[in-house]
Amino acid sequence: MSNPARILAIETAGEACSVALFENGALRAHDHRVLGRGHAEHLVPMIEGLPDKGRADRILVSLGPGSFTGVRIGIAAARALGFAWGAEVIGYPTLGLIAAQAWQGDSAPVTVCINGGHGEWFIADFAPGEPVAAAQSLSPEAAQTRGAHSQIAGNRAEQFADLLDADHSAHAILPNARATAHLPDSFLTRDLTPIYGRAPDAKPAAKAAGKQSATPSSQTSSRAPI
């Protein structure tokens, strides 16, 4: 993949909101805030606080899974800025970014586990050199039955490891935009379809009055890497 002079990275899928600006392959500036909520109010000011208001030739944005609202806010902002700047917009999986962060200390296979809402967790296995894994939304009980690699990362890693044997280590990692520099090219895609992992809680009135759709327990990705 070509390396544009400037890359803006946006991460809004979890409780943290973060942005990073890279220039000629080096990190120039970044901002990472653990907000819980309020990404919509903070994201644009955070980007504007970067050098040259974050203007870049390429924009990397998290596709999820994670917060429905956070994912949509990040993608909408990336699309709008890409249109305004004539920049290429590229998506990446949130769980893949957490895996890449975990690999900075150990390149062993990792299971990523984050909060999925309604008491469930989003879980996926990753290994260096392998394609993006599909995320599953599972209850803790189902996750325990499923099992995990010996290394677990994410904001629910400690809880997951507590359900398993002592051979599992936990790394409490929140996705951080500055770590997008470590994403494998195979994790990047021009398909900006959000990865929700499960059906949204709220349904449009017209659909709610009609046939109710089932909630998927997993989402498989047919995205082709760049």
Side-chain angles (χ1 to χ4, degrees):
M1 179 188 291
S2 61
N3 294 314
R6 277 192 176 186
I7 299 175
L8 170 66
I10 298 172
E11 173 56 59
T12 58
E15 61 260 51
C17 181
S18 62
V19 296
L21 184 66
F22 300 89
E23 188 162 10
N24 297 319
L27 178 66
R28 183 171 178 187
H30 76 285
D31 192 349
H32 179 84
R33 307 178 190 181
V34 180
L35 302 174
R37 295 184 178 183
H39 294 53
E41 292 77 16
H42 288 81
L43 179 58
V44 172
M46 288 171 66
I47 295 173
E48 290 180 340
L50 298 172
D52 297 326
K53 297 185 176 181
R55 191 179 184 98
D57 309 299
R58 173 181 292 165
I59 302 171
L60 298 179
V61 63
S62 176
L63 301 178
S67 160
F68 287 106
T69 303
V71 170
R72 292 172 68 89
I73 288 168
I75 294 175
R79 286 182 181 276
L81 292 175
F83 178 79
W85 297 341
E88 179 183 36
V89 182
I90 302 295
Y92 64 85
T94 307
L95 302 191
L97 177 60
I98 295 173
Q101 291 175 237
W103 289 332
Q104 297 314 295
D106 186 349
S107 60
V110 59
T111 296
V112 177
C113 180
I114 68 171
N115 183 52
H118 295 290
E120 294 193 344
W121 297 335
F122 289 128
I123 300 174
D125 295 324
F126 294 88
E130 293 187 0
V132 176
Q136 294 178 289
S137 182
L138 300 174
S139 67
E141 294 77 14
Q144 182 179 26
T145 300
R146 174 194 186 278
H149 288 304
S150 60
Q151 180 177 210
I152 308 174
N155 66 354
R156 291 294 177 267
E158 293 177 351
Q159 292 93 324
F160 194 4
D162 286 344
L163 297 177
L164 304 173
D165 56 54
D167 293 333
H168 292 80
S169 60
H171 307 276
I173 295 175
L174 293 178
N176 192 323
R178 67 180 296 172
T180 54
H182 304 297
L183 282 168
D185 283 355
S186 61
F187 284 17
L188 306 180
T189 177
R190 291 187 176 89
D191 179 0
L192 300 181
T193 305
I195 305 171
Y196 288 134
R198 59 181 174 82
D201 300 332
K203 296 179 176 63
K207 290 185 179 180
K211 183 173 65 176
Q212 184 177 4
S213 59
T215 301
S217 61
S218 65
Q219 176 166 328
T220 333
S221 175
S222 59
R223 303 165 190 274
I226 296 175

